[in-house]
Every structure is written in C-alpha cells, then in structure tokens.
Amino acid sequence: MIPERQRVPVLDVDATPLRVNELIEAIGGLITAGTMSTVLGHNLHSITLFHSCRNFSSLYQNSSIVLLDGAPVAMLWGFAHRRELRLLGEKPMAYRLGSMDWIPELGRVPGIERVAVIGAGRDANTTAIARLRSIIPGATVDGMPGEAWDEALEGAVVEWLKEFRPQLVLLGLGMPLQETVLHRRLGQLPPAVYCTVGGAIEQVAGIQKLAPRWLGRLGLEWAWRLVLHPGRVAYRVFVEPWKLAGLLVRRRFQTPKTKGK
C-alpha cells in the first residue's frame, strides 16, 4: 500500500516519503495491479517547472508516486516532520531517493518479468540493459536509445512499447523532456509502471560518474554535478532557485480564487 502524499513546506508541493524497501514493495504492487502508473521525483528543478507549467503540474498531481528526489526537498519535508521522525529514530534524508538509490534493487521487485529502458545514447542504453539483466535475472530487459529525440523517434518508441508490453519502463530523457513525453503520450502507451530516471541510464552503464553518497547526505550533490557538467548545471544552481523563489512569493500573494484557476 502506497502512503498518502505529504506537504513539503515552503515549496507548496506534495510528495510520497518512501525508503528503498518501501518503494520496491510499492512498484511490485503497481506491477501486480497492471494499470497505468507513474513514478516521478521532486527536486528544485521539477518544483520550478511544477509552478510554472500547467501540463507539468498536472502530470505530478496525477502521479502514483512522487519521490523526494532532491536533498533540499527532503530536508524541508524532514524539518516539517522532525518530531515524528525523531520518535521513529529516523533521519529525514533516509527518505531522499534518487534513481540510483533504487534501480540497483529492482531484482527484489516481485513478479517483474519485462523491463524497458528508454533514453541515453545507443552505447549507454545497450550497456545499461546488460547491467539490468544481471540485476534482474530471469527478466526480459530491452530498450531504445533516446539521443536525437524527435517526433518520429517518439512515435517509434510508443509503437515499440505497445509491442513489447513491459511491466516497468525506465524513462531517462532528462527533465523536462521525459515528463513532457509522458504527459503527451500517456493515453497512447500500454499499461505499465513508468519511472522517470533522468541521467540514471548513463549512470547504470558506468558512463556518467555517480556522486559519492556522502555528498548526497550532506545535500552537496549539486556541487559534484556542477564540476562535471558546468554548462548544463550552472543555470539550475545559480539562476533557477531565484526563479523558484519568485514563483513562490507570487503564489503567496495570489487570492484563493486566482490560485485555483
């Protein structure tokens, strides 16, 4: 059973606080149900998009699970629930789940038989598939690369998924493309559990270096990414937080009537 979402203070979003074992169990339950499900993650980038793009917020509001993906998001949620966590002997960052926290544990998902891997370049996609086959022995794992994504490739992926009929789909096209594709195509895709995983396909393949876990626990994973990919990450680190702050301030001054539109 998936716990109810809880409010992340200040950021005005809701998320599903889960640890790895709980997420693995929840994915197993969604696979057993056999319905269309989505597993997304909230970080500061997604929250900025949530408050500035109606389609993006609609996808998140209707998602089956929204993980506490970013360290600041997990910290703010943990601050709001610090008393309960203290009684349970828990640390709030135990609920921060990036894709590479749970993908290596997919072999423990009960009943998993068919997995699709969508995204990354051809070499990374092929290598990630091979790695996942060893993580989930007995399952059929296949995929399609996502480089040079366009309308034609998107259509081909949809048709391939209809034919393959996976139970679990790892969609790693980067944010916000992966979420945009999901929102646009959900009505055409076959029932499965669709998980947005960003750059995790390259990380599974060993092509992209994963930040040391102790940096994540300190909330400094952004610094690792900034060093490795300054051109891609600098805007998110130095500019986007100010944009998000402006969006949140504006929401505070909206009347309830305007806010509900």
Side-chain angles (χ1 to χ4, degrees):
M1 185 175 179
I2 301 171
E4 291 186 5
R5 294 192 202 174
Q6 298 179 7
R7 174 66 36 156
V8 180
V10 180
L11 300 177
D12 277 353
V13 295
D14 298 321
T16 321
L18 295 173
R19 292 161 294 192
V20 173
N21 289 344
E22 294 167 330
L23 176 60
I24 293 301
E25 182 180 347
I27 290 175
L30 293 173
I31 287 175
T32 300
T35 56
M36 176 67 73
S37 307
T38 57
V39 178
L40 312 177
H42 253 327
N43 52 37
L44 292 184
H45 185 43
S46 70
I47 292 171
T48 302
L49 293 166
F50 179 94
H51 290 308
S52 59
C53 176
R54 181 168 296 181
N55 288 345
F56 200 91
S57 61
S58 174
L59 178 69
Y60 269 74
Q61 287 167 347
N62 292 294
S63 181
S64 310
I65 296 173
V66 180
L67 300 173
L68 296 165
D69 185 10
V73 184
M75 287 176 177
L76 284 170
W77 173 83
F79 180 77
H81 298 274
R82 60 192 182 280
R83 183 172 298 175
E84 307 148 58
L85 294 172
R86 193 179 300 120
L87 290 173
L88 293 171
E90 295 273 9
K91 294 182 179 180
M93 290 299 285
Y95 292 84
R96 188 250 163 157
L97 286 187
S99 299
M100 287 304 292
D101 291 316
W102 56 267
I103 288 178
E105 304 299 322
L106 285 175
R108 297 194 287 115
V109 175
I112 189 167
E113 297 176 352
R114 297 182 309 283
V115 179
V117 182
I118 308 297
R122 185 168 301 278
D123 290 344
N125 189 277
T126 300
T127 306
I129 288 170
R131 173 83 193 283
L132 283 164
R133 285 172 179 165
S134 67
I135 291 173
I136 320 171
T140 300
V141 184
D142 208 344
M144 292 183 68
E147 58 190 345
W149 190 270
D150 58 14
E151 187 176 350
L153 178 56
E154 185 173 311
V157 167
V158 171
E159 293 306 312
W160 178 79
L161 286 170
K162 288 179 181 178
E163 183 179 347
F164 182 44
R165 300 197 67 81
Q167 297 164 300
L168 177 70
V169 180
L170 302 181
L171 185 62
L173 301 175
M175 186 183 289
L177 177 58
Q178 58 197 13
E179 290 80 12
T180 301
V181 170
L182 264 185
H183 182 269
R184 183 164 55 220
R185 296 287 190 168
L186 265 182
Q188 304 165 39
L189 291 167
V193 182
Y194 291 83
C195 305
T196 56
V197 298
I201 294 174
E202 292 186 340
Q203 293 170 349
V204 171
I207 292 174
Q208 186 181 122
K209 292 183 178 179
L210 185 64
R213 304 322 289 154
W214 62 269
L215 276 179
R217 288 192 293 271
L218 293 174
L220 295 174
E221 194 168 325
W222 61 267
W224 175 269
R225 294 177 179 173
L226 182 62
V227 169
L228 291 182
H229 309 286
R232 190 168 66 190
V233 178
Y235 177 84
R236 292 190 187 185
V237 171
F238 297 117
V239 178
E240 198 167 62
W242 296 103
K243 180 181 178 180
L244 175 58
L247 289 168
L248 293 172
V249 168
R250 187 172 66 185
R251 285 174 64 84
R252 291 292 186 274
F253 286 97
Q254 286 178 325
T255 64
K257 183 177 180 180
T258 303
K259 198 171 180 178
K261 287 184 179 180

